Amino acid sequence: MSKVFTFKDEVALAKNAAEIISSAASESINKNGRFTIALSGGRTPAILYRLLAKPPHNDLSWKNIFVFWSDERCVPADDEKNNSYLAKNTLLDHVPIPAENIFSFPVKMPVSDGVKQYEKILVSFFKSELPAFDMILLGMGEDGHTASLFPGTNLHEMQGRLVAAVKRPGEAIDRITFTPQLINAAKNILILVTGQAKATVLSAVFANKEKNKYPVQLIKSSHLRWLVDEAAASSLKK
Ligand code: 6PG
């Protein structure tokens, strides 16, 4: 059963998320010599990324931290719609992480080639056909999507895959996303949800009335923690 932690507001939530990530990173580096994390896109993690770039978190052993993304929009890296753009501008450009530790999705090539290349990178880096990230960070949209797993898309075709090419209904750009299988293999999963606009869908997701109606319900792991603020939690049954 996943655990839900509620915070007064997005700043309190981000501070706690930074603590969780920092301690997980230190523990994993001490134990295994490295910490692997997949960051999420969207606006929610911006405060968190800025906190990780400042004391006390910025003195982590960044040379032992390896950063991936749980999804990406196939737009140039300097386009602010690119998910790695936010993380680089608020965090990665401000800490001593070696460039070779940052694995952005290859967005310049056709998306089918990008998927194959990223899957190869994951299997080779983790030396496993089903990589287990130390931490995967996710958000959730108002339609219950997470990463780029959207309602009404080819989620059933992702069986056995680590990464897939998708399109958000109504959006022209290609996207690449981690599959539920890859996400669920992680040792820690954090889903960050803030704001009143998410309250209705969060309540529906937790009510679980229609199994897997919402893609975020495909994230089923005992290592999953929901970090939500009071506004997003305002429709949850007490
Ligand atoms: C993306 C993200 C996506 C995001 C949610 C929530 O590419 O858009 O990966 O899954 O996490 O849409 O976005 P906000 O944090 O902006 O609400």
Side-chain angles (χ1 to χ4, degrees), residues 10 43-44 140-145 192-205 214 228-235:
E10 59 180 1
R43 291 180 308 280
T44 302
M140 184 185 71
E142 293 175 40
D143 59 356
H145 83 258
L192 276 54
V193 186
T194 62
Q196 188 64 41
K198 309 274 176 81
T200 305
V201 68
L202 193 67
S203 167
V205 164
Y214 302 100
V228 303
D229 70 1
E230 285 175 2
S234 55
S235 301

Side-chain angles (χ1 to χ4, degrees), residues 40-44 71 73 83 139-141 145-148 175 198:
S40 94
R43 291 180 308 280
T44 302
D71 73 324
R73 300 114 182 247
N83 283 342
M140 184 185 71
H145 83 258
T146 192
S148 280
R175 287 170 172 254
K198 309 274 176 81

Side-chain angles (χ1 to χ4, degrees), residues 101-176:
N101 289 26
I102 299 171
F103 297 87
S104 307
F105 275 106
V107 292
K108 288 195 183 117
M109 60 182 67
V111 68
S112 54
D113 297 342
V115 164
K116 288 191 194 92
Q117 178 167 323
Y118 212 67
E119 282 191 336
K120 275 203 194 102
I121 290 168
L122 287 168
V123 169
S124 146
F125 182 87
F126 284 88
K127 296 181 179 51
S128 163
E129 294 299 316
L130 183 55
F133 277 87
D134 293 308
M135 179 77 69
I136 293 185
L137 195 53
L138 297 169
M140 184 185 71
E142 293 175 40
D143 59 356
H145 83 258
T146 192
S148 280
L149 304 167
F150 292 101
T153 53
N154 58 343
L155 302 179
H156 57 284
E157 291 164 17
M158 295 183 185
Q159 288 301 327
R161 307 293 308 277
L162 300 177
V163 176
V166 293
K167 273 197 185 283
R168 178 174 203 166
E171 192 177 76
I173 56 168
D174 286 314
R175 287 170 172 254
I176 302 181

Side-chain angles (χ1 to χ4, degrees), residues 20-38:
I20 291 172
I21 293 171
S22 251
S23 347
S26 304
E27 188 183 326
S28 176
I29 290 166
N30 291 339
K31 199 169 145 213
N32 311 316
R34 75 180 193 187
F35 177 66
T36 57
I37 183 168

